[in-house]
Amino acid sequence: MPDSATSTTPAPHDDAPIATVGLEAAPTPLSLRLAPGAHADARRAFDLARETFVAGRRLDMAPLAASLGVDRTSVFRWVGNRDALLTEVLWSLAVPTLVQADRATAAERGAERVAGVLTRFAGDLITAPYFRDFLTREPARALRLLTTKASPIQHRFLATCEWLVRTHLGDTPFDDGGSTSGIDPASLAYLLVRVSESFTYADLITGETPEADRAAVAFRHLLRVPSTSA
């Protein structure tokens, strides 16, 4: 993940669309409280929780409350339960990673751009030590928060992928107006998300080693990127 992940406060992203589309698609009570100037105590608790997570330590509510000098009831009132807090911490780290991937592929076009963004994003997740620590420490919770509808994270990632598809492939991807029928952006985004999850969390799902290169091959095949352009 990018260097900004080491800060307790998420870095500004110049209102890059890829940074905002996920939150707009799936806001939560806590994400609304974390808006600038909305709730100072929620922001303070969140910043400390994010710092704890990036340091590779387990995020627990009781130690968090003690570090903030308040009781657990106050922390729950400010940020909700542990899953709600983890959800926003995880997404706050995904956002700069997505922005970085989007900027790094700015010279690419169409399907190549989509494949490039998703490949870089998967690669950064695979190599981020504190993220892998979380997956190893709490695999069941990680998969539930990251890959199911039980958490807003997958909704946000789906919305982000659909935005990528519509932005770079249009509203009717791969439809040539003739004998070749296309696929709707939402369905293509769903497939891309599942591919990303399959390779990023391969160690938890199949016991295999997560590999960004394998994800890249899958993305490019799914997006019909010619091998000669690699």
Side-chain angles (χ1 to χ4, degrees):
M1 287 190 179
D3 292 341
S4 61
T6 60
S7 170
T8 57
T9 302
H13 307 295
D14 302 322
D15 295 323
I18 199 169
T20 60
V21 64
L23 275 175
E24 291 170 356
T28 66
L30 180 53
S31 72
L32 297 175
R33 285 181 163 225
L34 293 176
H39 196 292
D41 287 326
R43 169 56 67 177
R44 185 162 63 98
F46 169 81
D47 284 348
L48 182 56
R50 192 174 190 270
E51 182 180 10
T52 300
F53 187 90
V54 171
R57 301 193 301 271
R58 179 183 168 92
L59 178 56
D60 282 317
M61 304 303 271
L64 179 64
S67 296
L68 291 166
V70 299
D71 57 28
R72 291 180 64 196
T73 302
S74 295
V75 174
F76 279 106
R77 188 171 66 250
W78 296 344
V79 301
N81 61 25
R82 185 167 180 262
D83 281 356
L85 182 55
L86 274 169
T87 292
E88 297 308 331
V89 167
L90 287 163
W91 188 251
S92 78
L93 294 168
V95 166
T97 311
L98 285 164
V99 171
Q100 180 174 282
D102 190 46
R103 290 174 177 169
T105 57
E108 299 170 4
R109 295 292 180 267
E112 182 120 29
R113 177 76 175 274
V114 179
V117 170
L118 294 179
T119 297
R120 286 174 178 271
F121 180 66
D124 282 343
L125 291 181
I126 288 169
T127 58
Y130 53 86
F131 186 70
R132 304 315 303 184
D133 287 346
F134 171 60
L135 298 183
T136 301
R137 190 169 56 242
E138 302 184 67
R141 174 174 266 109
L143 285 179
R144 176 166 54 80
L145 291 181
L146 293 163
T147 68
T148 72
K149 64 180 181 180
S151 169
I153 291 176
Q154 191 187 69
H155 292 284
R156 293 173 182 175
F157 191 32
L158 276 166
T160 303
C161 285
E162 184 174 346
W163 176 85
L164 280 169
V165 169
R166 290 186 184 276
T167 299
H168 300 293
L169 296 175
D171 294 332
T172 54
F174 311 128
D175 188 344
D176 63 4
S179 59
T180 302
S181 59
I183 182 173
D184 65 276
S187 295
L188 180 55
Y190 174 80
L191 293 173
L192 291 169
V193 166
R194 284 307 192 188
V195 167
S196 182
E197 292 171 346
S198 296
F199 288 101
T200 303
Y201 313 121
D203 49 342
L204 304 186
I205 298 171
T206 65
E208 299 180 1
T209 301
E211 295 180 22
D213 288 345
R214 293 177 64 202
V217 172
F219 287 136
R220 295 174 74 86
H221 275 292
L222 184 58
L223 291 164
R224 304 182 186 179
V225 179
S227 58
T228 54
S229 65

